[in-house]
Amino acid sequence: MRDANPQTIYLKDYTVPEYLIENVELSFILDEEKTRVVSKLTMLKNPLSHSQDSTLILHGEGLELIRVAIDEQPLNETQYQQSNECLNIDSVPQDKTFIVEIGNTINPKANTALEGLYLSSTMLCTQCEAEGFRKITYFLDRPDVMCSFKTTLIGDKDKYPVLLSNGNKIAEGELQNNRHWVAWEDPFKKPCYLFALVAGQLECIEDSFTTMSGRDISLQIFVEQSDIDKCDHAMQSLKNSMRWDEQTYGREYDLDLYMIVAVGHFNMGAMENKGLNVFNTKFVLARPDTATDSDYEHIEGVIGHEYFHNWSGNRITCRDWFQLSLKEGFTVFRDQEFTADQTSKAVKRIEDVKMLRTRQFAEDAGPLSHPIRPDSYIEINNFYTLTVYEKGAEVVRMIQTLVGKTGFRKGSDLYFQRYDGQAVTCDDFVSTMEEANDIDFEQFRRWYSQAGTPVLEIEQEYNQQLKTHSITIRQSCAPTPRQPAKQPLHIPIQLGLLAADGSVADICLDDHAPCKEILIELKEQQQTFVFEKLEERPVVSLLRGFSAPVNVKMQQSLEELAFLLSHDTDTFNRWEAAHKMSSQIIFGLMDDIKQGKDLELNPLLVQSYQTILQQSWDDLSYLSLLLSLPAENYLAGQMEVIDVDAIHKARVFVEQSLAEQLQNQFLELYQRYHKEESGQFDAGTIGRRRIKNICLGYLVKLESTESYQIVEEQFKTAKNMTDQMAALAVITDSANPNKLMCLDSFYQQWKDEALVIDKWFTLQACSSSDDSFNTVQDLTQHPAFELTNPNRVRSLIGAFSQANQLHFHAANGQGYNFLANQIIALNLINPQVASRMVSGLTQWKRFDENRQSLMKKALEKIINTPDISKDVYEIASKSLVPG
Ligand code: PHE
Ligand code: ZN
């Protein structure tokens, strides 16, 4: 596994492929342990290549080669060489197309890395992005080699009654020995990372969609038989996505068939293979009693995401893997907007920013910080990051903010038209937006090459005589690995002004017409904006809608925040004010804890909550966000040195105090919205469940017999998973004496539903109870726990190390050591998932010296694993680089 010296790949070394593939005919004789692959490639020298070399180098890993022929002439062993990663064929024709025929075998059952062809329970399926196709057969496994595929699948009729691949089914038939075959053809040229096949005993639900030009598309979702009653929501989401992409981007689906298959073993969320998406079951299956409201929303979002890839990713793909954000950033942006349109725009934006700040900002401030278009990597699988996806989406969003919605649509139309069928770069995308809008993005392009989260420092000055308010903004960005100095970025800042009475003030800036909201563009290191005609000092509402992925440093008193919370017309900044206020109060309490003072809750927070509770709200999900305290890891992100114990203690104190002082209001709200509305998923019902469960969380903090009764009652009688989960989560995190009983009864109730059992693991992994480390350790021995299932690993190991800050970072290092051992055990089973688990340790510089040294020790232990995978090695070793 471990290359003595794992090779680094650089963007600057990109060259066009030396050979091209015009088309490929694949055939598979499927078998769990020995699948036979025959591949017939029609190839030619790339006219754009300058190379004089007549050797053809094909990628291939872990393949058993049976034969190679060129233009029907079998080659003998002197005419080709095999290495661990390649097959080199000598002297192929340079001036005409030629046919390479390859026969090889693979073992899907032994493939626990879940890349290439593998077994998920009894079904065979593939995962090829990024470089998995080379584990199926020899090929030019790079995204700028695009060709048409014809695939024939042969398998046992009982084991593999369903045989699927990309495109349209063109023929099928029977064979001897109880076997059958199906042939598929995908007329659209695609890179091999979009190839897929699935074979197994699958059931499907079917529906259809009529496109805007009147074509009928047949839609199919395939699952295991026991899950057939959990597909309706996914189907509805697919139809919503198809309609939305027509309405918003004018994009229509191209094939006659769209298939989705749900598999229980999957490294990621889902995969956009052309015409045949393969999904983690987590993002398909939902029934009111098994899935929460948030599961329902994620399913819709991921179905949308993969569907939108058909244009942003498949029709137009990436030239090389450094351009990953071209498809991912853009597609995440598209799915965010889709979800916002389906649900609540305000809530969606806030949820996305919370995630960005807690996780992407941490990544960008740590040893693995990289630009959204990285310039080097060891293992590309390690670059499916929050930065490439989420910050990438923010960069696309800024482009839209700068050119406006209409301009953005003009740009995307031009992009889809110009590059259809090609493999292109991020720069091509930006240039198209520039051209369509006659705008200069020269400086804006730095967002693609510079890493790190910029900081904006704000100073304000009101001039009574001149009636002006000046805002000076200074931008900076801390050094990141290999980027010591940064250049100023082009930053769009949406801004509003509020008058002292809470009304919206007119904005008069330079020669702009007076307006209520303005977009200012920061380009220099420091710029001052002078707002005129202000009779009194205004309150500034800056970076509305979170118009750029930056950190803002601006003095704001608690009173000012309370004012914004009451009056800001921007829903994002209103929430921001609430969140900042509670954060500041919690930080103040942490200081008090350090100084051994008695704790007392600032009455301003209670007053603000009271005010909010007295108002009437349409969007109860939004109200729930206003009434929620920042999460522990969110608070940690803002600390110089993270003190997990103080954060926990101060935050719990605030929760308890709020519960005590507002218990009547919380109880009243709880009772008002505690209705039986299972099975309904409109925004109104979701909002009612959400606010009710927020109130329940506060009430149980009282640790009263009465509140325990309420929560147990909800747990026992809940008919939907949102309510049952919310109750059990609160119970698991409390000192409720019936906790173990509830956990056990939940397990018994749901032991046959894998996704629900994942939740059961996660709840315990995230508990702040004193015994949670031991519980987690014991759970690794539970019969339902297995390292070969990524969802299970994430639900226990991932949740504990990434979401249980208090116990994972126990001062004695037991959490770190536990994680190191799990990663070492997982390293050979599934390197991709193992490598993702390392992220619990990468942020060591943010902790005190004792923890730092324990975390580094754990990382060193990991690095010294014999046979360490490239994946784990890259993350662990880069994490340890000092600086
Ligand atoms: N391309 C997939 C997506 O974002 C993610 C993925 C990457 C899935 C690699 C599997 C492997 O939609
Ligand atoms: Zn994607």
Side-chain angles (χ1 to χ4, degrees):
M1 267 271 183
R2 165 137 182 217
D3 270 328
N5 208 345
Q7 210 199 332
T8 300
I9 319 282
Y10 295 93
L11 169 57
K12 63 174 167 45
D13 294 343
Y14 174 84
T15 52
V16 298
E18 289 180 24
Y19 293 88
L20 300 176
I21 304 177
E22 254 174 15
N23 62 68
V24 55
E25 283 176 34
L26 293 167
S27 81
F28 291 83
I29 303 176
L30 296 164
D31 180 79
E32 256 182 42
E33 287 176 57
K34 192 171 189 174
T35 288
R36 287 160 189 278
V37 189
V38 175
S39 163
K40 199 173 144 194
L41 308 166
T42 306
M43 301 192 66
L44 70 161
K45 182 92 183 185
N46 182 359
L48 298 178
S49 168
H50 300 298
S51 155
Q52 302 295 318
D53 196 343
S54 65
T55 311
L56 170 65
I57 304 174
L58 297 174
H59 303 113
E61 274 174 37
L63 308 173
E64 197 71 53
L65 182 64
I66 301 171
R67 66 188 174 88
V68 199
I70 300 265
D71 291 332
E72 301 194 335
Q73 293 300 307
L75 303 189
N76 66 46
E77 283 178 15
T78 63
Q79 293 167 299
Y80 62 85
Q81 299 88 46
Q82 264 182 282
S83 69
N84 282 341
E85 298 186 340
C86 294
L87 172 66
N88 295 5
I89 305 175
D90 303 332
S91 346
V92 298
Q94 298 296 291
D95 44 12
K96 61 174 182 84
T97 60
F98 56 96
I99 295 187
V100 183
E101 227 181 302
I102 292 165
N104 67 276
T105 63
I106 42 182
N107 180 350
K109 193 173 182 177
N111 182 358
T112 54
L114 314 185
E115 223 189 354
L117 181 68
Y118 66 92
L119 197 63
S120 176
S121 60
T122 61
M123 80 180 98
L124 287 170
C125 63
T126 54
Q127 172 52 46
C128 296
E129 188 178 3
E131 299 180 331
F133 195 79
R134 62 185 67 185
K135 296 184 168 186
I136 295 174
T137 184
Y138 291 100
F139 207 77
L140 294 179
D141 189 356
R142 45 186 289 170
D144 55 354
V145 173
M146 300 171 83
C147 68
S148 53
F149 281 68
K150 199 178 145 185
T151 306
T152 305
L153 304 174
I154 302 164
D156 184 88
K157 279 200 269 184
D158 298 319
K159 276 189 156 166
Y160 308 115
V162 173
L163 297 170
L164 310 175
S165 191
N166 317 85
N168 303 311
K169 195 191 255 193
I170 50 169
E172 59 193 315
E174 307 264 315
L175 294 168
Q176 294 169 335
N177 303 327
N178 197 42
R179 294 189 306 171
H180 68 151
W181 62 275
V182 179
W184 293 85
E185 185 167 46
D186 183 357
F188 292 94
K189 283 188 181 267
K190 64 169 178 287
C192 64
Y193 83 84
L194 291 172
F195 170 82
L197 80 77
V198 173
Q201 298 165 334
L202 297 164
E203 305 265 308
C204 99
I205 68 159
E206 287 197 76
D207 206 327
S208 71
F209 179 83
T210 308
T211 67
M212 58 186 186
S213 74
R215 291 170 42 245
D216 272 327
I217 315 293
S218 120
L219 313 176
Q220 300 177 327
I221 299 182
F222 292 86
V223 295
E224 283 178 39
Q225 199 229 317
S226 55
D227 291 322
I228 198 72
D229 58 349
K230 303 189 198 79
C231 300
D232 295 344
H233 175 65
M235 185 61 91
Q236 188 55 49
S237 303
L238 176 58
K239 291 189 285 184
N240 294 347
S241 311
M242 297 178 90
R243 187 63 71 218
W244 186 88
D245 214 18
E246 291 184 346
Q247 287 168 349
T248 318
Y249 284 86
R251 297 292 118 197
E252 183 175 333
Y253 186 60
D254 45 16
L255 291 162
D256 301 329
L257 174 63
Y258 195 92
M259 297 176 283
I260 292 177
V261 183
V263 305
H265 293 70
F266 202 73
N267 286 344
M268 307 277 273
M271 181 61 212
E272 69 263 24
N273 317 299
K274 183 80 189 188
L276 176 58
N277 290 180
V278 176
F279 270 61
N280 189 324
T281 44
K282 185 176 162 65
F283 295 111
V284 175
L285 305 180
R287 212 172 53 194
D289 60 331
T290 62
T292 62
D293 292 346
S294 118
D295 294 330
Y296 271 74
E297 272 175 32
H298 287 134
I299 289 169
E300 185 169 54
V302 179
I303 297 257
H305 181 97
E306 305 313 328
Y307 176 73
F308 303 143
H309 266 316
N310 191 55
W311 277 97
S312 49
N314 300 2
R315 292 287 289 253
I316 303 180
T317 191
C318 304
R319 185 193 73 173
D320 54 72
W321 291 119
F322 297 101
Q323 317 297 330
L324 185 57
S325 202
L326 171 76
K327 74 176 178 84
E328 295 306 345
F330 188 19
T331 305
V332 170
F333 172 69
R334 275 149 60 67
D335 86 53
Q336 289 176 345
E337 294 292 282
F338 166 62
T339 304
D341 284 345
Q342 305 299 120
T343 56
S344 154
K345 284 198 203 321
V347 171
K348 176 63 179 160
R349 187 67 189 135
I350 294 164
E351 303 276 21
D352 287 340
V353 174
K354 277 208 283 189
M355 204 244 284
L356 188 82
R357 280 183 176 155
T358 357
R359 304 186 46 211
Q360 196 279 323
F361 281 18
E363 181 171 278
D364 228 353
L368 295 156
S369 174
H370 53 278
I372 64 169
R373 181 188 54 218
D375 36 34
S376 70
Y377 61 76
I378 293 177
E379 170 53 65
I380 185 57
N381 285 328
N382 285 329
F383 282 80
Y384 287 76
T385 58
L386 291 144
T387 298
V388 166
Y389 274 66
E390 312 302 324
K391 185 177 179 181
E394 293 299 321
V395 171
V396 175
R397 182 179 297 277
M398 286 191 286
I399 294 179
Q400 178 180 275
T401 304
L402 288 166
V403 303
K405 278 205 167 153
T406 320
F408 190 78
R409 173 67 195 270
K410 262 207 274 175
S412 75
D413 282 351
L414 183 62
Y415 171 73
F416 288 128
Q417 177 217 319
R418 176 171 298 168
Y419 295 115
D420 191 9
Q422 298 183 40
V424 305
T425 63
C426 296
D427 209 48
D428 293 324
F429 179 78
V430 178
S431 302
T432 316
M433 286 290 166
E434 263 180 327
E435 189 183 317
N437 292 284
D438 196 18
I439 194 172
D440 181 1
F441 277 147
E442 181 70 22
Q443 184 184 2
F444 186 84
R445 280 186 172 77
R446 288 179 189 154
W447 281 105
Y448 284 86
S449 54
Q450 272 188 194
T453 307
V455 176
L456 303 186
E457 282 167 277
I458 316 289
E459 266 168 45
Q460 313 182 46
E461 199 187 309
Y462 180 66
N463 187 317
Q464 185 70 60
Q465 269 94 56
L466 300 174
K467 310 281 183 225
T468 58
H469 191 67
S470 28
I471 303 180
T472 300
I473 310 180
R474 199 167 53 232
Q475 61 165 308
S476 62
C477 184
T480 53
R482 294 173 309 284
Q483 290 188 343
K486 313 279 183 176
Q487 291 180 293
L489 294 164
H490 179 179
I491 304 177
I493 302 173
Q494 203 87 46
L495 173 150
L497 299 176
L498 299 174
D501 65 354
S503 65
V504 178
D506 277 330
I507 299 172
C508 303
L509 176 69
D510 306 332
D511 43 11
H512 291 92
C515 56
K516 306 285 181 202
E517 185 173 71
I518 196 168
L519 179 70
I520 57 179
E521 298 184 29
L522 181 70
K523 293 185 174 174
E524 314 293 326
Q525 197 108 50
Q526 178 171 323
Q527 256 168 283
T528 300
F529 301 87
V530 182
F531 298 93
E532 295 167 340
K533 300 191 190 142
L534 292 158
E535 289 305 319
E536 49 190 352
R537 188 192 165 96
V539 174
V540 181
S541 166
L542 191 87
L543 207 73
R544 285 185 159 176
F546 200 64
S547 59
V550 299
N551 270 314
V552 178
K553 280 195 187 155
M554 173 161 75
Q555 283 297 337
Q556 279 173 309
S557 64
L558 291 176
E559 288 71 23
E560 195 171 315
L561 292 170
F563 175 86
L564 285 167
L565 174 55
S566 310
H567 301 293
D568 203 326
T569 50
D570 183 69
T571 47
F572 179 83
N573 270 4
R574 225 168 152 182
W575 166 82
E576 178 90 317
H579 224 214
K580 266 196 188 154
M581 182 178 354
S582 44
S583 300
Q584 284 187 19
I585 287 172
I586 294 172
F587 285 125
L589 289 164
M590 287 166 62
D591 287 339
D592 295 344
I593 291 173
K594 239 176 265 158
Q595 293 166 24
K597 288 192 195 157
D598 281 344
L599 300 187
E600 205 184 315
L601 181 62
N602 190 319
L604 205 58
L605 189 64
V606 183
Q607 276 163 28
S608 297
Y609 269 51
Q610 239 151 6
T611 316
I612 297 170
L613 286 164
Q614 276 155 14
Q615 291 166 10
S616 89
W617 296 87
D618 289 334
D619 186 346
L620 293 175
S621 292
Y622 181 69
L623 171 62
S624 309
L625 285 172
L626 291 184
L627 294 181
S628 305
L629 297 175
E632 291 186 14
N633 52 2
Y634 185 96
L635 293 163
Q638 297 165 51
M639 291 184 80
E640 209 64 52
V641 179
I642 299 171
D643 182 344
V644 295
D645 301 298
I647 293 176
H648 181 72
K649 203 168 166 193
R651 191 180 178 284
V652 168
F653 173 77
V654 175
E655 268 185 310
Q656 277 169 345
S657 313
L658 288 168
E660 279 159 20
Q661 299 185 43
L662 298 168
Q663 60 173 297
N664 294 334
Q665 286 96 320
F666 286 141
L667 187 61
E668 193 274 322
L669 257 191
Y670 177 80
Q671 285 164 342
R672 182 171 354 143
Y673 293 125
H674 185 48
K675 299 182 186 158
E676 173 38 41
E677 302 180 283
S678 304
Q680 272 173 260
F681 291 94
D682 54 287
T685 341
I686 293 172
R688 286 193 282 279
R689 279 195 282 266
R690 190 159 178 177
I691 190 69
K692 160 188 88 183
N693 286 319
I694 291 285
C695 294
L696 181 66
Y698 279 112
L699 291 170
V700 173
K701 283 280 176 262
L702 296 169
E703 297 182 356
S704 61
T705 324
E706 197 196 356
S707 66
Y708 283 165
Q709 268 167 3
I710 295 177
V711 71
E712 281 177 50
E713 183 64 20
Q714 177 171 323
F715 171 70
K716 283 187 203 136
T717 58
K719 295 201 175 51
N720 65 78
M721 187 48 75
T722 306
D723 284 351
Q724 193 178 20
M725 237 324 102
L728 187 61
V730 169
I731 292 170
T732 310
D733 212 42
S734 72
N736 187 318
N738 294 331
K739 177 159 131 177
L740 290 180
M741 226 173 63
C742 294
L743 280 166
D744 194 50
S745 90
F746 187 86
Y747 184 81
Q748 293 309 327
Q749 183 184 355
W750 294 114
K751 57 181 181 311
D752 298 324
E753 293 289 344
L755 295 171
V756 182
I757 294 305
D758 287 338
K759 298 179 192 299
W760 180 81
F761 276 102
T762 298
L763 274 191
Q764 299 177 77
C766 294
S767 161
S768 65
S769 304
D770 292 339
D771 57 354
S772 89
F773 176 72
N774 292 332
T775 308
V776 169
Q777 243 186 346
D778 293 348
L779 284 173
T780 60
Q781 304 304 315
H782 191 282
F785 182 77
E786 42 177 6
L787 283 176
T788 46
N789 185 329
N791 283 355
R792 240 346 101 80
V793 171
R794 286 184 283 253
S795 73
L796 183 64
I797 317 292
F800 176 64
S801 59
Q802 289 158 32
N804 194 340
Q805 187 168 282
L806 180 67
H807 290 300
F808 174 65
H809 292 285
N812 64 9
Q814 60 187 15
Y816 308 146
N817 196 40
F818 166 80
L819 181 63
N821 291 337
Q822 295 297 323
I823 290 168
I824 291 165
L826 199 54
N827 170 55
L828 289 179
I829 298 176
N830 188 327
Q832 250 184 78
V833 175
S835 144
R836 287 188 173 262
M837 291 298 125
V838 184
S839 78
L841 294 164
T842 55
Q843 300 290 324
W844 57 271
K845 290 191 189 80
R846 307 290 316 279
F847 292 85
D848 58 72
E849 266 175 45
N850 165 52
R851 287 184 173 87
Q852 284 199 6
S853 83
L854 293 166
M855 289 171 93
K856 282 195 278 184
K857 246 207 235 143
L859 283 167
E860 272 150 18
K861 181 170 178 182
I862 292 168
I863 293 191
N864 291 325
T865 313
D867 287 333
I868 189 167
S869 60
K870 268 209 257 183
D871 310 57
V872 175
Y873 174 77
E874 178 173 30
I875 301 293
S877 63
K878 286 184 175 171
S879 302
L880 279 171
V881 174

